[in-house]
Amino acid sequence: MPTPTKGARLGGSPAHEKLILANLATELFRHGKIKTTESKARRLRPLAEQLVTKAKRGDLHARRRVLTVVKDKDVVYALFEQIAPRYSNRPGGYTRITKIGPRKGDAAPMAVIELVEELQVAATTGPSKEARKAAAQQAKVEALAPEDEAPKAADTEDVDQDSEAPVSASGDKGAEGDQAEGDDDATAKA
């Protein structure tokens, strides 16, 4: 358990608070995210992060330490075999708390605590600032270039399927195309 916090406890007694946090951690690992009050989410975060860190170690002692908090063996198995390997190269920060506003009945501030997905971090990273700047500069140069100096992008050379001679966009074959057709006729006659 993390160090005790100052102030009022969740529930009534220390044992009840420990059970509340253990149940919240179990459901967090079972579902990936849970909706609870902000104070419970803030108290759960250090416990959940410690449990993931222990699961990353993966040895028997760590598994037994996690089993003292999370009583469900299926959830412990999922924590060690599925959740912990996702964070193998992440030094911490496995959870995220998002405030979602007051609860309807008693206006208690609510929050969603969820396990951070490593793929989301990778998906949000795009090209670097320098790469975007270089691409914008290249587009500007291409737009400002006069048509006669611009590369002949409109006259793309396609390869005719019957011969290996390049064909321009107008469909004219060069001298190579005529020679290639002659070669095809010569091989057909032979």
Side-chain angles (χ1 to χ4, degrees):
M1 292 293 298
T3 54
T5 58
K6 294 183 180 179
R9 284 188 296 271
L10 303 175
S13 65
H16 190 200
E17 179 180 15
K18 188 176 177 181
L19 285 172
I20 288 172
L21 291 176
N23 288 335
L24 286 171
T26 302
E27 295 306 311
L28 175 64
F29 296 135
R30 179 177 287 137
H31 299 291
K33 67 178 174 177
I34 56 173
K35 183 168 73 169
T36 184
T37 61
E38 283 181 31
S39 59
K40 286 180 184 176
R42 276 190 259 120
R43 299 289 284 275
L44 174 61
R45 174 184 255 174
L47 175 64
E49 299 222 356
Q50 285 179 4
L51 293 173
V52 172
T53 302
K54 287 176 185 170
K56 280 172 54 176
R57 283 186 24 207
D59 58 353
L60 181 61
H61 180 66
R63 187 176 296 264
R64 287 179 176 163
R65 293 290 302 263
V66 170
L67 276 167
T68 61
V69 178
V70 179
K71 302 295 184 191
D72 191 353
K73 290 181 181 179
D74 294 333
V75 174
V76 172
Y77 175 80
L79 176 62
F80 274 77
E81 301 300 321
Q82 297 166 3
I83 296 172
R86 289 193 319 213
Y87 304 116
S88 61
N89 58 357
R90 190 179 181 110
Y94 313 117
T95 57
R96 173 189 306 128
I97 297 175
T98 308
K99 297 179 182 180
I100 59 172
R103 186 163 47 196
K104 187 175 181 182
D106 60 353
M110 298 297 286
V112 172
I113 182 168
E114 59 187 337
L115 295 172
V116 176
E117 295 293 326
E118 193 71 29
L119 298 175
Q120 292 176 351
V121 174
T124 59
T125 60
S128 66
K129 187 175 181 180
E130 293 82 17
R132 288 190 306 252
K133 198 174 193 179
Q137 186 69 18
Q138 180 68 23
K140 189 186 293 184
V141 168
E142 289 175 0
L144 294 176
E147 288 187 25
D148 54 3
E149 292 180 12
K152 296 182 181 181
D155 295 335
T156 58
E157 294 185 353
D158 296 329
V159 177
D160 191 8
Q161 293 180 356
D162 295 334
S163 67
E164 295 299 321
V167 178
S168 67
S170 61
D172 297 332
K173 292 184 180 180
E176 301 87 22
D178 294 334
Q179 185 182 10
E181 283 183 359
D183 291 340
D184 290 338
D185 293 336
T187 56
K189 292 178 184 176

